[in-house]
Amino acid sequence: MAPKKIIIDTDPGIDDILAILLALSAKPEEVEILLISLTFGNIEVKSCLRNVVSMFHILEREMQWRREQGRPEGYDTLRASPPVVAVGAADPLEDQKMLADYFHGTDGLGGIHASHPHLTPKETWEHLFDPSADPNVVEPVPTGDPAHRSFIPSKRPAHEEILRVLRENDPDTVTLVAVGPLTNLALASSADPETFLRVKEVVVMGGAINQPGNVTPAAEFNAYADAVAAARVYALTSPSPRSTLPPGTSLPEYPSKLSKQLTLRIFPLDITLRHNVTQGQFRKTITPLLEAGSPLAEWVSAFMAHTFRTLERLHPGQVGDVAELSMHDPVCVWYAMTAEHDGWQPSATSPEDIRIETTGQWTRGLCVVDRRNRHRIEAEEESSSDHGLWLSQSAGNRVWRMDSSPVEGTFGDVLLQKLFA
């Protein structure tokens, strides 16, 4: 069976890095990571790039250490098919930018580049992503750092790389996993909606349905960080995308007729908060590896220590080995890797008309769901009894909301086993 083809759109970020590592830990015959596209979100996009390059730097050191120890290298997919890395949106489409550096640290990894400089590569790689250079010229990568064998740098904007990957692969063969704000996806779908719709499905970490938000009482961070972008991507699930497009944005409207509807599968806080790693689980796994000298264990341990300290500061009761860190982003990647497993289930009401609020003073990023339990009607224009076409059979979004998984309660062990086995 051919490997699953995946794009990861991300803003690394602590759990983003763990999600990417999870994907890269797969065997080449299981998964092929075609592209890692970067966006602002948890931190500024330039810091996201440094974190991803640092990750490849550490993985090369880890694989060398494992060889010297007589252990299986793992991460074989890096040799079989190094992913393209592309830098994308630095700002949201319309909204004031908000970052999550209060949780992830100003560099996105708990200050690791200052506290552990020996784990950060020298920045001889920055010119490889310089958009002012000719994007068609592939420069030789620096030979001093073997990490550059693990990825292919792109000078093109991330949304253009997303479209390139979708053009170069058969329709319905590439899964796009988006675990940050959806700005790159909104740019790609606006530039060429039909090419964007070649995607098999878009898997999104974002939103909150029956849970409170995590950055406001109403909103989850990714939906809040670029609510307009999220609303535009969600609109592609509608039989009539224009019926749910946010008003007054700088990007053009979609064509009135598109060849198909987007398959969008969201993982809101309702499900991601049930997939956790405890500090005790992490300590038990990492301690013997630290003692043995694993570079990956040292790197991950450094930023996870910051994360658990932050949890203890923000949440009373999250202390010691019982402190739990939710694996919001890794669970989305795990779905993309194992989607055929019967344990993955959407909500009983899926697909649902879920829309993203873009203009509310207190409700930006809110997932709006019609809870009125009224009959659907045949209507293509608004009526006094149906403002917003919520009841129309030919309008509204069609979003698959994931509600359960085969690894609830065990995901922490699954993740740690994959990363450090």
Side-chain angles (χ1 to χ4, degrees):
M1 188 171 67
K4 296 182 174 69
K5 297 180 179 182
I6 297 176
I7 296 170
I8 301 177
D9 190 78
T10 176
D11 57 336
I14 289 160
D15 58 329
D16 303 75
I17 286 290
L18 298 178
I20 299 168
L21 288 171
L22 177 60
L24 295 175
S25 74
K27 296 177 181 177
E29 60 269 24
E30 296 173 332
V31 171
E32 181 181 3
I33 310 302
L34 302 175
L35 171 66
I36 298 173
S37 55
L38 303 176
T39 178
F40 82 96
N42 291 319
I43 47 172
E44 300 285 0
V45 72
K46 288 186 177 179
S47 294
C48 293
L49 177 60
R50 178 168 64 166
N51 292 344
V52 166
V53 174
S54 295
M55 178 196 69
F56 287 117
H57 170 81
I58 291 297
L59 283 176
E60 287 291 344
R61 290 178 55 182
E62 174 73 7
M63 289 186 284
Q64 179 181 349
W65 174 79
R66 291 183 183 185
R67 285 195 301 272
E68 293 170 353
Q69 294 281 313
R71 304 176 184 225
E73 281 188 26
Y75 296 97
D76 298 332
T77 187
L78 291 181
R79 295 288 177 265
S81 54
V84 173
V85 175
V87 181
D91 298 287
L93 295 180
E94 309 287 341
D95 301 316
Q96 181 180 355
K97 182 158 65 176
M98 173 187 175
L99 304 175
D101 51 7
Y102 67 92
F103 185 83
H104 294 266
T106 54
D107 66 357
L109 294 177
I112 194 171
H113 301 296
S115 64
H116 295 69
H118 61 290
L119 299 178
T120 301
K122 295 178 181 178
E123 296 182 355
T124 56
W125 45 265
E126 286 186 323
H127 74 284
L128 300 173
F129 298 89
D130 183 1
S132 65
D134 185 347
N136 297 308
V137 174
V138 179
E139 297 185 37
V141 298
T143 57
D145 187 348
H148 299 302
R149 298 180 305 191
S150 299
F151 67 91
I152 301 168
S154 172
K155 296 182 176 67
R156 293 187 178 89
H159 75 276
E160 293 183 7
E161 285 290 356
I162 290 172
L163 292 172
R164 177 193 62 79
V165 169
L166 294 175
R167 286 190 196 102
E168 292 179 0
N169 288 273
D170 291 337
D172 300 317
T173 61
V174 177
T175 297
L176 203 171
V177 184
V179 293
L182 298 184
T183 317
N184 288 334
L185 280 67
L187 292 169
S189 61
S190 294
D192 189 343
E194 286 295 348
T195 295
F196 188 78
L197 290 173
R198 291 169 64 93
V199 72
K200 179 180 179 181
E201 63 180 358
V202 172
V203 178
V204 169
M205 191 283 120
I209 308 300
N210 298 310
Q211 285 279 338
N214 59 2
V215 290
T216 74
E220 177 275 331
F221 175 80
N222 288 336
Y224 182 89
D226 196 340
V228 170
R232 289 187 64 93
V233 173
Y234 280 44
L236 287 170
T237 69
S238 174
S240 174
R242 293 184 181 185
S243 67
T244 63
L245 276 179
T249 66
S250 57
L251 293 179
E253 287 191 353
Y254 295 126
S256 57
K257 293 293 182 182
L258 291 168
S259 61
K260 59 181 288 192
Q261 294 165 233
L262 176 68
T263 300
L264 179 69
R265 202 172 294 273
I266 67 167
F267 283 73
L269 294 179
D270 307 61
I271 182 171
T272 62
L273 287 171
R274 305 200 301 264
H275 294 77
N276 305 293
V277 168
T278 69
Q279 188 160 217
Q281 283 176 301
F282 183 75
R283 180 182 52 77
K284 182 178 178 181
T285 299
I286 214 76
T287 299
L289 293 170
L290 286 172
E291 293 171 349
S294 160
L296 182 62
E298 182 184 4
W299 189 63
V300 175
S301 180
F303 65 72
M304 289 291 279
H306 161 86
T307 307
F308 283 117
R309 286 196 301 271
T310 303
L311 275 176
E312 291 179 351
R313 187 179 74 248
L314 294 176
H315 301 285
Q318 293 273 20
V319 179
D321 281 356
V322 299
E324 285 187 323
L325 178 63
S326 294
M327 294 289 99
H328 305 288
D329 298 343
V331 72
C332 296
V333 167
W334 188 241
Y335 165 79
M337 295 167 65
T338 64
E340 69 282 355
H341 195 291
D342 290 340
W344 295 108
Q345 295 294 332
S347 67
T349 51
S350 287
E352 300 172 69
D353 186 2
I354 300 173
R355 309 187 195 183
I356 303 293
E357 175 58 54
T358 61
T359 59
Q361 179 182 3
W362 308 117
T363 55
R364 168 180 148 191
L366 170 71
C367 288
V368 183
V369 179
D370 189 350
R371 305 180 193 274
R372 294 176 295 177
N373 193 28
R374 292 169 61 182
H375 291 296
R376 289 272 182 177
I377 58 176
E378 292 188 16
E380 295 185 3
E381 296 183 1
E382 287 187 340
S383 69
S384 57
S385 62
D386 186 27
H387 183 69
L389 289 171
W390 284 92
L391 303 176
S392 170
Q393 295 177 354
S394 58
N397 296 332
R398 306 288 190 269
V399 177
W400 293 89
R401 173 169 64 89
M402 298 307 291
D403 191 48
S404 62
S405 88
V407 288
E408 287 183 30
T410 62
F411 188 57
D413 290 327
V414 171
L415 178 67
L416 295 171
Q417 172 72 15
K418 288 290 182 181
L419 268 54
F420 296 108

